[in-house]
Amino acid sequence: MLAIAGGKGGCGKTTIALGVGQALGTPTRRSLVVDTDHDMPNLHRRAGVDPAPGIADITVSAEPTTVAKRAMTVENVDVLPCQDATEAAVDTAIDTLPRRNRPVILDCPAGAGPDAARPLRAADRTVLVSAPTRQSLTDAAKTAAMARALDAPPALTVLVGSDGSVNPSLLLSCPETVHVPSVSKPLESDRAAAKYVEIANVLAKRNT
């Protein structure tokens, strides 16, 4: 179970979650990308699906994989939206997610508060997502510290809109960085898709 996390909202976490989900998924082993941000859910918009059913509809008879739906903007990905879900519903969803047979990716809330801690506590590793700016990287460092404290240490850093000139490894204590270029349609761009595959390859090397 992989958390996509960062300290600042709007840095591209959801897009990275879907792109990495596509890179990790196959037609017979689809990735499951889960929106865990009940305050500002937007995975359904990026994935091109209706917000319901979603986490709020999970019950004993309708567990997460039956509620999830196929993403329309990427291949080999199912998504679990978070529209109208309570904190308790998010907790229940995370606790009942499948942990075998497919990659599970948690699209985390921004920041380092309790809402962001919830999915990090369940994850095995974290992908830190940041813009290549001082403020965004400073916020990401707080997220990195929280991820380590919750036993979901960062596997790599993804800098979105980066030309490769910024090296965040010392600040974030994370040696691997993937630089995703600024493109107008990041889920349709071949340049961005190559970077999602690069991220997946780094994760595979680290047995995530």
Side-chain angles (χ1 to χ4, degrees):
M1 190 174 290
L2 184 69
I4 309 293
K8 192 170 180 63
C11 64
K13 292 189 303 297
T14 299
T15 299
I16 294 298
L18 287 169
V20 172
Q22 177 171 264
L24 290 173
T26 70
T28 57
R29 186 173 176 266
R30 300 173 63 81
S31 296
L32 178 62
V33 181
V34 183
D35 194 344
T36 64
D37 189 348
H38 68 94
D39 279 336
M40 298 184 67
N42 67 350
L43 176 64
H44 62 281
R45 296 189 183 93
R46 295 281 193 275
V49 302
D50 290 333
I55 283 176
D57 301 286
I58 291 173
T59 63
V60 173
S61 59
E63 48 90 21
T65 56
T66 64
V67 174
K69 58 200 76 180
R70 286 178 177 251
M72 302 303 294
T73 56
V74 290
E75 297 179 347
N76 304 326
V77 173
D78 294 331
V79 295
L80 188 57
C82 193
Q83 189 86 347
D84 299 325
T86 63
E87 292 181 11
V90 174
D91 283 339
T92 298
I94 291 173
D95 288 343
T96 55
L97 287 171
R99 293 177 179 267
R100 296 181 179 180
N101 303 323
R102 67 155 84 188
V104 177
I105 298 169
L106 306 178
D107 182 18
C108 298
D115 283 348
R118 184 174 292 109
L120 287 173
R121 191 173 288 112
D124 299 303
R125 297 297 292 269
T126 301
V127 172
L128 296 172
V129 180
S130 176
T133 64
R134 181 184 297 273
Q135 184 59 59
S136 186
L137 288 167
T138 299
D139 290 341
K142 297 174 185 177
T143 302
M146 182 171 67
R148 290 187 179 95
L150 295 174
D151 293 325
L156 77 158
T157 303
V158 177
L159 292 189
V160 177
S162 173
D163 61 6
S165 61
V166 174
N167 181 358
S169 57
L170 289 178
L171 175 64
L172 302 180
S173 298
C174 188
E176 296 270 8
T177 301
V178 175
H179 299 267
V180 179
S182 179
V183 295
S184 59
K185 296 181 178 180
L187 291 177
E188 299 176 24
S189 163
D190 289 341
R191 292 173 64 205
K195 293 298 182 178
Y196 306 145
V197 172
E198 183 180 344
I199 294 167
N201 288 338
V202 172
L203 294 172
K205 284 193 305 180
R206 291 176 170 268
N207 296 318
T208 301

